Amino acid sequence: MPANDACRQQNMSWKIIPLPEQAPATSGMADLPGVRLWYSDTGGDGPTVVLSHAHSGSADFWGYQQPVLTKAGYRVITYSRRGHGKSERGNETDFGFADVDLHNLVVTFLGVDKFHLVGVAAGGGIAIDYALSHPERLISLTIASSLIDVIDPEYVKLLSNLHRKDLTRNIPNYYIELSASYRAGNPAGTTEWIELEKLVMSGDVQNLGKISQRHTNKIIWKAVDSIKVPTLLMTGDADSYVPPSLLRLQASHMKHAEVLIISEAGHAPNWEQPEAFNSAVLKFFQKQDGTTGGQSTTSPANKNIVTLSAFAD
């Protein structure tokens, strides 16, 4: 098959979405207690959205969301946690609390009063911790493809059986996190993701495990049950870390939450299916922003979003 025909056939099997040009933003290092973190802030008068990245990510992994949310009228803040991207590691003997760093950056340093908080993967566990510490600061909470760091023994046992490190320790991270459908349909996007991951931290990405930030709260199911902040729960249908069945378990403890599955996505739905992800979060934000002055922007239906409504008693 000629190369051009092969390329056309591949493009028919997957909608290739190039990374959009980023919206203008102020960026730099924020001097926080005990550490300097890199951040980007688009500014503006609209409601604020704070994006919290995955363990293997950094602020750079929100390239598909930052310009879209900004165009919709939101002030968008991204940042890299300690030891990720351009952020410093801080005290090597005590890396502190991730939710405290988030609060110090967004509320104290940048002066934001209330905001939408979006967390993907490990960023979702930090978002849960923040929601328990500062619910009054949140307009909404979006958790995508996250284990949410619950420490109840039965849940920990479930995860240890689901995530066999003895079987996966030698498998490249991208092969686990990105769905097979995405890797087959968008090899160039896969390569771009791999290259961004290399910039997360010098050396093997597994070294990130050496940076362990504690949670302020004891995250148990009883605590999760107490969260009343408007919540959106999402995962990819091919997420090997957070499969739909695990999301259903999480949703059973957050009965007020909206629950969505993004098809043909793995552990990075914001990267693999950005149109579906953006459509879902914008629609959710706009429901909350009726009383916060957000700009009304219609989010079209997306065929890659499946609404799960089987969580009611």
Side-chain angles (χ1 to χ4, degrees):
M1 179 182 294
N4 288 342
D5 290 344
C7 184
R8 280 194 293 271
Q9 185 177 36
Q10 182 180 4
N11 288 343
M12 289 174 62
S13 69
W14 193 273
K15 183 178 181 180
I16 305 295
I17 302 174
L19 271 172
E21 182 178 352
Q22 299 301 286
T26 298
S27 62
M29 300 294 284
D31 288 306
L32 307 180
V35 71
R36 298 173 74 235
L37 297 185
W38 188 92
Y39 76 96
S40 172
D41 179 5
T42 63
D45 298 327
T48 300
V49 178
V50 177
L51 303 174
S52 180
H53 62 77
H55 176 70
S56 58
S58 69
D60 293 335
F61 280 73
W62 295 107
Y64 283 111
Q65 283 69 52
Q66 190 257 27
V68 173
L69 295 177
T70 303
K71 185 177 180 180
Y74 291 90
R75 174 184 180 182
V76 181
I77 296 171
T78 62
Y79 74 106
S80 296
R81 294 193 297 276
R82 296 186 186 218
H84 293 69
K86 300 173 185 175
S87 290
E88 296 180 351
R89 293 170 62 89
N91 188 337
E92 291 290 341
T93 62
D94 183 1
F95 292 117
F97 300 89
D99 72 310
V100 173
D101 284 348
L102 189 158
H103 188 79
N104 287 339
L105 171 66
V106 176
V107 177
T108 306
F109 183 81
L110 294 176
V112 176
D113 182 33
K114 300 190 71 172
F115 54 96
H116 297 280
L117 179 57
V118 180
V120 167
I126 294 163
I128 288 286
D129 196 26
Y130 191 85
L132 292 170
S133 295
H134 299 285
E136 76 285 353
R137 295 290 183 181
L138 297 181
I139 304 169
S140 75
L141 180 66
T142 296
I143 307 293
S145 293
S146 178
L147 299 175
I148 70 174
D149 297 345
V150 167
I151 60 173
D152 289 73
E154 288 187 2
Y155 186 70
V156 172
K157 182 178 180 181
L158 185 157
L159 296 184
S160 66
N161 290 330
L162 178 62
H163 308 135
R164 291 281 303 276
K165 292 184 179 180
D166 57 319
L167 300 178
T168 61
R169 64 169 54 98
N170 294 321
I171 299 176
N173 199 46
Y174 78 91
Y175 199 87
I176 300 173
E177 297 206 11
L178 300 177
S179 68
S181 188
Y182 178 80
R183 288 185 277 110
N186 193 354
T190 300
T191 298
E192 197 163 12
W193 191 93
I194 293 170
E195 292 305 310
L196 277 179
E197 188 189 53
K198 291 178 182 178
L199 300 176
V200 170
M201 185 176 182
S202 58
D204 191 336
V205 71
Q206 298 301 325
N207 288 333
L208 285 171
K210 295 179 181 178
I211 295 183
S212 179
Q213 289 192 271
R214 305 186 301 279
H215 287 313
T216 296
N217 299 278
K218 185 178 182 181
I219 303 181
I220 57 177
W221 285 129
K222 185 176 181 180
V224 174
D225 288 335
S226 72
I227 295 175
K228 303 304 179 187
V229 175
T231 302
L232 173 62
L233 293 174
M234 291 190 288
T235 195
D237 64 354
D239 190 337
S240 61
Y241 282 106
V242 188
S245 59
L246 193 66
L247 191 74
R248 287 194 286 271
L249 174 58
Q250 296 174 0
S252 71
H253 292 275
M254 303 184 79
K255 296 184 184 298
H256 68 293
E258 296 185 27
V259 186
L260 301 175
I261 303 295
I262 298 181
S263 64
E264 296 195 60
H267 197 53
N270 60 308
W271 181 273
E272 298 168 83
Q273 293 288 353
E275 286 188 340
F277 186 92
N278 295 344
S279 176
V281 296
L282 278 173
K283 183 177 180 181
F284 178 64
F285 290 168
Q286 289 158 10
K287 287 183 180 180
Q288 319 309 322
D289 290 332
T291 57
T292 60
Q295 178 177 324
S296 177
T297 304
T298 301
S299 299
N302 189 287
K303 63 185 177 69
N304 289 101
I305 298 175
V306 179
T307 302
L308 296 187
S309 57
F311 299 101
D313 290 334

